[in-house]
Amino acid sequence: MSNNSQSMSFNAGQAKGQTQEKASNLMDKASNAAQSAKDSLSEGGQQLKQKAQGASEAIKDKTGLNK
């Protein structure tokens, strides 16, 4: 292989490696964002559930059903 051909091949390999690394980083970021959203929704759901249980208990107390 000539020097020019070797250089072009080397540069193509470097570009491919950099592209793969960037794609991997983007996938990691997307995965982290998805996990964060899932965690936030789960936390919000737990808070809502607790509030509903509290409201239910309050109604039972007021109506005398909570004996």
Side-chain angles (χ1 to χ4, degrees), residues 5 11 14 22-24 30 37 39-40 45 49-51 56 58 60-63:
S5 187
N11 288 341
Q14 274 194 322
K22 286 179 182 177
S24 177
D39 292 345
S40 293
K49 181 180 174 184
Q50 290 171 351
K51 287 181 181 180
S56 175
K60 287 179 185 177
D61 287 342
K62 294 286 183 184
T63 59

Side-chain angles (χ1 to χ4, degrees), residues 35-60:
Q35 185 63 45
S36 179
K38 180 181 172 188
D39 292 345
S40 293
L41 287 173
S42 179
E43 185 177 321
Q46 287 296 322
Q47 290 175 353
L48 186 59
K49 181 180 174 184
Q50 290 171 351
K51 287 181 181 180
Q53 287 173 335
S56 175
E57 291 300 316
I59 290 170
K60 287 179 185 177

Side-chain angles (χ1 to χ4, degrees), residues 6-22:
Q6 285 177 331
S7 178
M8 288 174 59
S9 180
F10 175 78
N11 288 341
Q14 274 194 322
K16 180 181 177 186
Q18 289 172 356
T19 300
Q20 288 173 334
E21 181 66 22
K22 286 179 182 177

